[in-house]
Amino acid sequence: MILSIESSCDDSSIAVTDILSKKVIYHKKISQELDHSKYGGVVPELAARLHAEALPKILQETKQYFPKLKAIAVTNGPGLAVTLVEGVTMAQALCISLGIPLIAVNHLHGHIYSLFIEKQTYFPQTVLLVSGGHTQVIEARGFDDFEIIAQTMDDSFGESFDKVAKMLGLGYPGGPIVEKYAKDGDMDRFKFTIPLVNSPKIAFSYSGLKNQVRLQIEALGSEKSEQDISDVCASFQKIATAHLIGKLKKIFKTREIKDFSIVGGASANLYLRDKIQKLCFENDAKLHLAKLQYCSDNAVMIGRYALDAFDKNNFIEFDKITSSAKITI
Ligand code: KG4
Ligand code: ZN
């Protein structure tokens, strides 16, 4: 079995995965969403302190599996430097005391491997990664053979939902809240413009849209009704998604894509899933999705990547691992 640890942002999560069957034996995630909600975003130092409390508590429940562990896997970036180190230090201590090897996992590779939980790995495919920190289209060709073909120039898709929710005073994380309000809203009431709509650039940008929404919220003043809020959310979600779809259409035109997937926390958005489903249908591509519970950050996807890394003896010496906020795909 492999024990995996994830602490790159505001979720403390540990999983145990069986190497041969790929089955998830144990998984627990303690989310800090409520603790950060009143600040409208993640407060790194608070997150680090909460990981320091939660991770040992979860680990306690996995003690029965210790004799069967063959490796420890841990996210070492990208993420918040002060929270990554909580998981990495725990992983190092476990490797030393149990005398087993360490696997360093890039958080973004973990999101891609969320597609393969309790399944075989299948490549090649084109992946849209939409999370709080990233918006990227990745050509995934094989184990550690990933190429970014488009990415955001500023804010990420998920982050823009968080910011809109913050401006409306709706709490954190914004994605699920904005999506919920949008369901009751009129998506055509506010006419936001699609970012980079006239640009041939295959890239994403969300900071301009965020400013358009901010101006609209200000124009509505302090007496906003629930309907106003729903209409802002629906109009924003429509344009944020239209921007993604517009650029993806261009990508589909220039490449032969047979298998397409969406991963990352924001891939839980059903409006986005629906639009991408249509796009794949029009282009004769098969759409792959991770199970909803594995879209947001979790240690199971880290463990799933580690299964393939274990197969390839892809270990790192426990004193050589460094965690970094800046690791890329
Ligand atoms: O992958 P994830 O859990 O953490 C990072 O690696 O960043 O993604 C979290 C992000 C947050 O920005 C959150 O607002 C967004 O995913 N998100 C959503 C939805 N659920 C989560 N965004 C849009 N719609 C959703 N339903
Ligand atoms: Zn993530």
Side-chain angles (χ1 to χ4, degrees):
M1 293 176 187
I2 294 179
L3 182 140
S4 50
I5 306 169
E6 158 65 38
S7 69
S8 67
C9 191
D10 59 343
D11 294 299
S12 313
S13 178
I14 296 182
V16 177
T17 310
D18 185 70
I19 297 172
L20 280 182
S21 67
K22 298 186 171 37
K23 285 259 173 288
V24 180
I25 306 293
Y26 171 92
H27 175 221
K28 186 152 198 178
K29 164 161 136 171
I30 297 181
S31 186
Q32 308 171 357
E33 283 168 1
L34 280 179
D35 302 276
H36 298 288
S37 189
K38 56 179 173 287
Y39 304 106
V42 178
V43 181
E45 281 68 27
L46 173 61
R49 188 167 60 70
L50 294 172
H51 282 303
E53 286 169 16
L55 286 174
K57 240 189 243 168
I58 307 176
L59 189 70
Q60 197 65 27
E61 293 179 14
T62 66
K63 278 209 159 144
Q64 55 179 307
Y65 306 112
F66 281 14
K68 293 187 177 160
L69 295 181
K70 296 281 179 259
I72 303 291
V74 65
T75 305
N76 71 325
L80 299 170
V82 288
T83 64
L84 285 166
V85 79
E86 295 294 332
V88 168
T89 315
M90 173 175 272
Q92 285 172 313
L94 283 168
C95 287
I96 297 167
S97 62
L98 298 173
I100 53 176
L102 179 61
I103 299 170
V105 185
N106 178 320
H107 180 77
L108 306 177
H109 295 184
H111 273 304
I112 295 174
Y113 272 76
S114 66
L115 295 164
F116 313 140
I117 291 168
E118 298 194 324
K119 286 187 195 159
Q120 294 301 322
T121 312
Y122 48 84
F123 289 117
Q125 57 178 303
T126 307
V127 183
L128 171 66
L129 166 64
V130 272
S131 67
H134 295 81
T135 300
Q136 298 179 333
V137 182
I138 301 153
E139 205 62 82
R141 301 191 192 94
F143 181 78
D144 275 4
D145 186 1
F146 304 123
E147 185 196 350
I148 299 170
I149 55 176
Q151 61 185 323
T152 182
M153 304 190 299
D154 40 60
D155 293 351
S156 76
F157 181 77
E159 188 181 5
S160 69
F161 279 70
D162 294 333
K163 288 184 175 164
V164 167
K166 188 174 181 181
M167 291 187 286
L168 288 166
L170 302 177
Y172 173 86
I177 308 172
V178 168
E179 183 181 10
K180 190 159 167 273
Y181 271 93
K183 281 201 185 92
D184 303 319
D186 172 3
M187 64 172 86
D188 297 316
R189 176 165 164 205
F190 301 113
K191 310 283 181 219
F192 303 127
T193 49
I194 301 174
L196 304 177
V197 69
N198 294 318
S199 161
K201 236 187 203 154
I202 302 196
F204 307 106
S205 168
Y206 281 98
S207 66
L209 177 58
K210 176 188 66 190
N211 278 329
Q212 290 183 58
V213 176
R214 183 177 53 79
L215 293 172
Q216 187 56 66
I217 293 171
E218 281 169 16
L220 285 167
S222 54
E223 302 289 292
K224 283 181 290 301
S225 66
E226 286 282 296
Q227 193 57 52
D228 290 334
I229 293 175
S230 290
D231 294 348
V232 169
C233 290
S235 305
F236 156 74
Q237 179 176 261
K238 175 185 162 187
I239 299 303
T241 307
H243 173 40
L244 271 183
I245 299 292
K247 295 300 174 187
L248 287 174
K249 273 189 179 155
K250 287 199 160 81
I251 293 174
F252 267 98
K253 270 200 187 119
T254 55
R255 286 167 189 260
E256 177 84 21
I257 300 175
K258 290 207 173 68
D259 291 278
F260 189 84
S261 50
I262 334 171
V263 299
S267 70
N269 185 291
L270 297 180
Y271 180 81
L272 171 68
R273 282 183 171 213
D274 184 52
K275 297 286 172 200
I276 293 202
Q277 180 75 67
K278 287 199 178 93
L279 181 70
C280 287
F281 182 75
E282 286 159 15
N283 287 278
D284 248 341
K286 188 164 184 240
L287 176 63
H288 304 269
L289 296 160
K291 282 194 181 147
L292 270 179
Q293 77 257 39
Y294 299 131
C295 289
S296 57
D297 292 349
N298 65 85
V300 177
M301 65 187 196
I302 303 305
R304 180 60 189 85
Y305 172 90
L307 293 182
D308 281 23
F310 185 84
D311 233 23
K312 293 177 166 38
N313 286 322
N314 215 308
F315 305 119
I316 185 162
E317 286 181 38
F318 69 82
D319 55 346
K320 299 263 167 29
I321 189 170
T322 49
S323 51
S324 167
K326 294 202 179 77
I327 289 177
T328 57
I329 198 103

